[in-house]
């Protein structure tokens, strides 16, 4: 750590970098995680030092650095993301998220204290792995390409902050909505949650409200769900498949009724176990604005919230476990012409992921993913049309071949 005497004061730029999902990563890697953490620290420290920054503090997977100007901090952020992308990690999914903020700060006996450090931390914690987020002051002074993501409210900060994304042609640029932050001023997605378990229903509602959505109603039965949808006109209904009185298919029947009587409302089905046959028939009949997730997926908060948002926007979300099971029992079909990598890409398309998200998952460049997707369209005989339409047709071809 840099000594306090060496730290600059006045107007400075902070950079905070930490590993995404480090707790889960440590659990998967066991004793190997220590080596991953050391490599991560080394890559971050090298990028900071080469850009003229100074390390302030390092705890676990989190490192705080300070720069005398925002351009140097932006340079370091881009360099460390490139280094992470190129590094030979022991498994996919080792990614770093970065927050950059410029403000007035004074060194203390322990480094820096005050609101500017907290702003940096809030911005970094709202990023996804591979993403670089900047505050408005940092973006204005960074002398680099940025994208305005809008204004967000952060817990613990007195006022909303405008957030920008640092972009580069050779790095991913499409990410899910910010974590742990609520966008202000924009349209809010309206949700109805239906489950006979009050605990689960309340938990899902709380997660969605924390993510900035409006839960307009809750329901404990299928009949009540249909009534609430007609009453509140929500963007999406989250529906338990098995509901009272028989706990068999009441949720599916309710979903069918909602799609017939109120087609503007999209549907995300939840299930305790994989019940693919009838659910996927419903998907094939009208794939836009439809999702099917296992309830365990709710625990993966960011992925679950993004799935809800995607379905509410008219996209799709099929649980990875369902996709894997269908892949395993596929019969002879045109999909046999696909390469192993193309099948990987198509499986992620079936989950509803964008090209950028597929690239992050498989560690492929956007251009490579686009090439695979075009090849899939060609091999499945999908003639040129709007790519969104062809993606749906490709997913339907995959599901029909189960």
């Amino acid at each position: 750590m840099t000594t306090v005497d060496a730290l600059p004061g006045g107007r400075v730029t902070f950079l905070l970098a930490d590993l995404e999902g480090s707790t889960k990563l440590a659990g998967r890697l066991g004793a190997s995680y220590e080596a991953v953490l050391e490599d991560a620290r080394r890559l971050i420290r090298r990028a900071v030092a080469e850009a003229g920054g100074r390390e302030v503090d390092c705890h676990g997977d989190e490192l705080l650095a300070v720069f005398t100007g925002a351009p140097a901090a932006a340079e370091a952020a881009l360099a460390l993301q490139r280094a992470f992308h190129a590094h030979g990690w022991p498994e996919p999914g080792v990614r770093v998220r970065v927050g950059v903020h410029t403000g007035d700060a004074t060194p203390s006996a322990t480094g820096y204290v005050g609101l500017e450090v907290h702003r940096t931390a809030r911005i970094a914690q709202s990023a996804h792995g591979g993403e670089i987020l900047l505050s408005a002051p940092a973006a204005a002074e960074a002398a680099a390409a940025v994208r305005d993501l809008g204004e967000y409210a952060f817990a613990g900060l007195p006022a909303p902050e405008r957030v920008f994304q640092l972009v580069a042609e050779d790095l991913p640029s499409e990410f899910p909505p910010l974590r742990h932050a609520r966008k202000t001023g924009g349209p809010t997605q309206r949700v109805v949650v239906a489950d006979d378990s009050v605990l689960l229903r309340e938990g899902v509602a709380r997660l969605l409200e924390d993510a900035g959505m409006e839960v307009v109603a809750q329901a404990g039965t299928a009949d009540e769900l249909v009534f609430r949808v007609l009453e509140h006109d929500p963007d999406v209904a989250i529906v338990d498949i098995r509901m009272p009185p028989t706990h068999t298919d009441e949720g599916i029947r309710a979903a069918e009724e909602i799609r017939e009587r109120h087609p503007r409302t999209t549907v995300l089905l939840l299930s305790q176990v994989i019940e693919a046959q009838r659910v996927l028939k419903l998907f094939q009949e009208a794939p836009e604005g439809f999702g099917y997730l296992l309830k365990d997926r709710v625990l993966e908060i960011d992925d679950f919230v993004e799935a809800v948002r995607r379905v509410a926007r008219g996209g799709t979300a099929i649980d990875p476990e369902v996709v894997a099971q269908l892949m395993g029992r596929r019969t002879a079909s045109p999909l046999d012409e696909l390469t192993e990598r193309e099948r990987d890409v198509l499986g992620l398309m079936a989950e509803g992921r964008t090209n950028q998200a597929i690239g992050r998952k498989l560690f492929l460049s956007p251009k490579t993913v686009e090439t695979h997707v075009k090849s899939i369209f060609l091999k499945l005989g999908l003639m040129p049309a709007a790519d969104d339409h062809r993606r749906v047709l490709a997913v339907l071809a995959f599901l029909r071949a189960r």
Side-chain angles (χ1 to χ4, degrees):
M1 187 196 310
T2 306
T3 62
V4 173
D5 291 342
L7 294 175
R11 192 162 184 81
V12 298
T13 298
F14 293 109
L15 179 153
L16 182 66
D18 75 329
L19 294 183
E20 180 183 49
S22 58
T23 301
K24 291 183 179 178
L25 190 63
R28 291 199 306 270
L29 293 177
S32 301
Y33 177 69
E34 184 176 356
V36 167
L37 185 58
E38 286 303 314
D39 281 354
R41 289 173 176 169
R42 177 174 53 80
L43 295 178
I44 296 169
R45 283 169 170 153
R46 179 189 298 167
V48 167
E50 289 180 352
R54 303 177 188 182
E55 181 178 336
V56 177
D57 203 358
C58 181
H59 290 292
D61 65 322
E62 184 178 281
L63 189 146
L64 177 67
V66 65
F67 297 78
T68 55
E75 178 187 340
L78 291 170
L80 72 87
Q81 289 292 12
R82 292 181 178 119
F84 265 70
H85 188 74
H87 189 70
W89 300 106
E91 70 160 57
V94 180
R95 290 186 287 265
V96 65
R97 52 187 182 176
V98 182
V100 179
H101 170 61
T102 298
D104 294 324
T106 302
S108 72
T110 56
Y112 292 92
V113 294
L115 192 57
E116 303 313 308
V117 175
H118 289 285
R119 288 188 204 279
T120 309
R122 291 292 183 269
I123 291 170
Q125 290 161 3
S126 67
H128 295 267
E131 190 173 24
I132 304 167
L133 297 181
L134 298 84
S135 67
E141 300 177 18
V146 297
R147 174 185 297 164
D148 188 349
L149 300 182
E151 191 175 76
Y152 288 82
F154 294 90
L157 296 186
E161 297 281 335
R162 197 154 200 91
V163 180
F164 294 78
Q165 182 190 85
L166 187 61
V167 295
E169 289 185 359
D170 61 330
L171 292 173
S173 59
E174 297 297 328
F175 296 91
L178 269 59
R179 295 176 161 124
H180 316 306
R182 178 175 55 83
K183 193 167 187 178
T184 62
T188 300
Q189 288 161 326
R190 304 171 74 253
V191 186
V192 168
V193 180
D195 196 293
D196 63 306
S197 167
V198 176
L199 185 61
L200 178 63
R201 197 168 69 226
E202 291 285 352
V204 169
R206 177 62 184 271
L207 290 177
L208 298 179
E209 288 170 345
D210 286 347
M213 300 185 209
E214 181 184 2
V215 177
V216 295
Q218 298 182 32
T221 67
D223 289 342
E224 185 184 6
L225 164 64
V226 175
F227 175 79
R228 295 302 180 195
V229 167
L230 296 176
E231 179 185 26
H232 292 280
D233 186 32
D235 297 300
V236 58
I238 300 176
V239 186
D240 181 17
I241 286 180
R242 298 183 177 185
M243 299 184 71
T246 68
H247 295 279
T248 55
D249 65 346
E250 281 85 356
I252 295 177
R253 286 191 280 112
E256 292 171 338
E257 185 174 353
I258 290 169
R259 303 193 101 188
E260 180 179 348
R261 297 178 59 186
H262 203 280
R264 202 195 75 79
T265 295
T266 61
V267 175
L268 174 60
L269 292 172
L270 296 179
S271 177
Q272 195 68 43
V273 295
I274 296 177
E275 305 177 58
Q277 187 171 1
R278 188 170 174 187
V279 171
L280 295 180
K281 180 177 181 295
L282 188 61
F283 176 87
Q284 291 173 358
E285 291 171 352
E288 293 83 5
F290 180 83
Y292 174 40
L293 298 178
L294 297 180
K295 288 187 177 180
D296 286 348
R297 202 64 54 191
V298 175
L299 300 177
E300 299 177 13
I301 297 172
D302 294 324
D303 289 343
F304 174 68
V305 169
E306 171 55 21
V308 175
R309 293 189 192 278
R310 189 163 64 242
V311 170
R313 293 193 299 263
T316 61
I318 304 295
D319 195 280
E321 292 290 335
V322 176
V323 172
Q325 185 180 98
L326 294 176
M327 281 287 193
R329 68 182 196 213
R330 210 172 28 83
T331 57
S333 76
L335 273 65
D336 293 330
E337 298 297 319
L338 304 183
T339 66
E340 182 177 353
R341 179 58 83 189
E342 288 167 350
R343 286 195 291 272
D344 291 340
V345 170
L346 180 55
L348 292 171
M349 287 170 61
E351 294 176 23
R353 297 178 188 263
T354 64
N355 283 6
Q356 290 284 353
I358 292 171
R360 293 197 303 274
K361 184 75 173 178
L362 299 179
F363 287 85
L364 300 175
S365 70
K367 186 177 180 65
T368 301
V369 174
E370 184 179 349
T371 299
H372 285 313
V373 170
K374 288 181 177 178
S375 178
I376 291 169
F377 291 158
L378 180 64
K379 291 180 179 179
L380 295 182
L382 301 176
M383 295 300 101
D387 272 358
D388 285 348
H389 178 66
R390 288 202 290 175
R391 290 176 82 89
V392 169
L393 292 178
V395 172
L396 286 175
F398 160 69
L399 294 174
R400 289 189 184 110
R402 68 191 189 277

